[in-house]
Amino acid sequence: MVRTVTSFGRSGTFDWLYQRVTAVILIAYTLFIVGFIFFSEDFGYQAWSELFAQRWVRVFSLVALLSTVIHAWIGLWSVVTDYITNRMMGPKATVLRLIVEVLLAAVAVFYTVWGIEILWGV
């Protein structure tokens, strides 16, 4: 049996709830960005720059970024723990699964830090 040590939530129910909440945030952000692109009369660098100069857009973008990371982590964790098991991969599956999870976590941290630097950097 796979332990939920590296799961995001405390249980499958919390993971399910986190994933649904982050999906709602991501669809709201997507609709906002697509709406801005389609309804902007003069869409270009200046309009884009003015949009992201507003603090609330940066905060909304940060929430969307964190939602993306949480949503992806839960989904990837589920796939990894479903397919990299002792039954399917043999006795080395636990080590392989932890290596994959550490690599995925490193990528998630890298993209999160990079995204924060893009949003809040000078």
Side-chain angles (χ1 to χ4, degrees):
M1 177 158 155
V2 177
R3 296 180 61 189
T4 60
V5 173
T6 55
S7 171
F8 191 81
R10 294 179 288 185
S11 69
T13 304
F14 279 99
D15 282 347
W16 181 87
L17 185 61
Y18 289 146
Q19 202 158 37
R20 292 329 176 259
V21 169
T22 58
V24 169
I25 292 169
L26 291 173
I27 193 67
Y29 186 76
T30 301
L31 291 173
F32 167 71
I33 293 295
V34 169
F36 176 78
I37 291 170
F38 281 122
F39 294 116
S40 180
E41 292 181 18
D42 183 28
F43 180 70
Y45 175 78
Q46 187 65 32
W48 197 253
S49 180
E50 288 173 5
L51 175 69
F52 278 90
Q54 300 175 50
R55 185 177 308 274
W56 72 271
V57 175
R58 287 184 182 187
V59 170
F60 192 24
S61 298
L62 179 63
V63 170
L65 172 67
L66 295 176
S67 295
T68 302
V69 170
I70 292 167
H71 193 90
W73 175 259
I74 293 170
L76 290 171
W77 180 85
S78 297
V79 170
V80 167
T81 56
D82 282 348
Y83 291 103
I84 304 179
T85 63
N86 289 340
R87 186 177 63 83
M88 295 183 77
M89 306 287 289
K92 304 254 187 213
T94 303
V95 173
L96 179 60
R97 185 174 55 250
L98 287 176
I99 290 170
V100 169
E101 287 176 356
V102 166
L103 289 173
L104 291 172
V107 169
V109 168
F110 175 77
Y111 282 132
T112 302
V113 171
W114 191 18
I116 291 169
E117 175 63 29
I118 290 169
L119 285 172
W120 298 100
V122 177

